[in-house]
Amino acid sequence: MAARIPVGDTIEKIFVFSFGRYFTVLGIVWLPTLAILASVLPLMPLLAQVRPGPGFSLSAVLVAWMVLADLFFFFAIVWMRVGVTKEILGLRKGSRFVYLPGMDELRVIGSYVLVYLLVYAAMIVAFLAMLLAGAILGVSLSTGIGPGIEKGNLPPALVGVFVLITVVFDIALIYSMIRATWLITPVVVADGRVRVTGSWALLRGNVLRVLVIAFVALLPLLVAEMIFIFTVFMPMAMDMFVQHRAALPTTADAGFSQYAIWCVLAGTMLVIMPLAVGLMSSPAAFAWRALVPPPPPPVPVEQPVAQ
């Protein structure tokens, strides 16, 4: 029988770690957080020059930098997740004040890329199969040769079948993505090599437990995020970016308002990120610890007694 993730015990460990080890996680996330913000900083003057209207288009430089910033954001997220995972698994070494990336981050990224390629390949095959079935049905409808199908008429029962197939396909896709990716980081970090099937094997019979754990762990973060966005950030951004920019027509002044927003965002993210990353990254690590028992202690070798 496959091992089961203890839901209550795992949730307890997630919150104890995320709130009780705040400064430990801060030592992991502050550098990648500042790196993410630094990657966005050059976009500020470029965005200040954008004027939506007839013939509106984004410059090639802006688009290229946005793509690079997105790629770096993905790397930084993996950087933080690996750092938290190593801390929980007892594999983190070096300074406690800063965590630097290494080969583990590249292995995790490689594993994600391979898994997503396999999943999307399966999606393409399934899509082609559905396309073939649709083409056959279209021919049947156009000629009226389908069994029990009048020409140009699609029976409600058949529509229901297609809706059911679509729903089942979407559920299967979500199930496959969760099971194939949720434990990639702890599996790769623990094994020290690229892994594709490790998460899938460990999460057999655990997907519903994963959904419950993830929902409970992220719920306070989602509530806090919505409160912050609607009560603090959006009013501040609207006041500084819209009203201030309208009063100061120069590009330099518009850019200044964006830099002010960036500074506030940077300070806020440095405070919030340890909790956010702890709540998002620790569930998989604690689940892995529950599913993979620690190795037995080495058996002591008896030394022969000298005669």
Side-chain angles (χ1 to χ4, degrees):
M1 182 178 178
R4 294 291 186 264
I5 302 172
V7 176
D9 181 64
T10 302
I11 291 173
E12 179 184 358
K13 290 178 179 177
I14 290 168
F15 282 98
V16 169
F17 175 83
S18 300
F19 289 91
R21 304 284 297 278
Y22 176 88
F23 291 102
T24 298
V25 181
L26 178 61
I28 296 172
V29 307
W30 72 265
L31 183 57
T33 299
L34 289 180
I36 291 173
L37 293 166
S39 70
V40 177
L41 191 59
L43 292 174
M44 297 302 182
L46 297 174
L47 290 172
Q49 299 173 13
V50 173
R51 295 293 185 271
F56 164 73
S57 64
L58 297 176
S59 68
V61 175
L62 178 59
V63 173
W65 195 269
M66 291 173 67
V67 172
L68 292 175
D70 286 340
L71 293 175
F72 182 77
F73 178 78
F74 173 66
F75 173 77
I77 293 298
V78 172
W79 179 359
M80 291 185 281
R81 288 181 66 90
V82 170
V84 170
T85 300
K86 285 184 175 182
E87 180 67 33
I88 293 173
L89 301 187
L91 301 175
R92 185 183 171 198
K93 300 177 182 178
S95 172
R96 311 301 295 174
F97 178 70
V98 64
Y99 171 72
L100 299 176
M103 290 301 300
D104 284 323
E105 283 73 16
L106 297 180
R107 294 188 190 102
V108 170
I109 291 173
S111 299
Y112 272 112
V113 171
L114 290 175
V115 168
Y116 275 100
L117 286 176
L118 290 174
V119 171
Y120 281 114
M123 287 177 57
I124 291 173
V125 171
F127 175 76
L128 292 176
M130 294 177 65
L131 196 63
L132 178 61
I136 295 173
L137 178 61
V139 172
S140 300
L141 288 175
S142 62
T143 59
I145 62 174
I149 298 178
E150 298 181 5
K151 186 175 181 179
N153 234 348
L154 192 62
L158 194 57
V159 175
V161 170
F162 273 98
V163 171
L164 179 62
I165 291 175
T166 302
V167 171
V168 171
F169 178 79
D170 291 339
I171 293 175
L173 177 61
I174 295 172
Y175 171 88
S176 300
M177 292 300 296
I178 293 174
R179 188 169 169 185
T181 64
W182 200 66
L183 288 180
I184 280 181
T185 302
V187 166
V188 172
V189 169
D191 289 357
R193 59 191 177 94
V194 173
R195 292 289 305 274
V196 174
T197 60
S199 177
W200 184 274
L202 288 173
L203 286 182
R204 178 183 178 186
N206 283 291
V207 172
L208 288 179
R209 294 169 181 264
V210 167
L211 291 174
V212 173
I213 292 170
F215 175 76
V216 175
L218 295 180
L219 185 60
L221 183 62
L222 294 174
V223 172
E225 181 181 9
M226 297 304 294
I227 292 174
F228 172 78
I229 288 176
F230 287 104
T231 63
V232 178
F233 183 73
M234 286 185 64
M236 178 193 67
M238 292 295 292
D239 180 64
M240 296 180 66
F241 185 70
V242 177
Q243 298 178 8
H244 186 63
R245 184 172 180 175
L248 300 171
T250 66
T251 300
D253 290 330
F256 174 78
S257 67
Q258 294 185 21
Y259 284 123
I261 294 175
W262 182 91
C263 292
V264 174
L265 181 61
T268 304
M269 285 187 65
L270 284 174
V271 173
I272 294 176
M273 284 299 280
L275 292 176
V277 173
L279 291 171
M280 290 188 295
S281 302
S282 63
F286 285 117
W288 183 91
R289 279 178 44 177
L291 294 172
V292 180
V299 179
V301 179
E302 294 184 3
Q303 300 293 332
V305 179
Q307 299 294 332

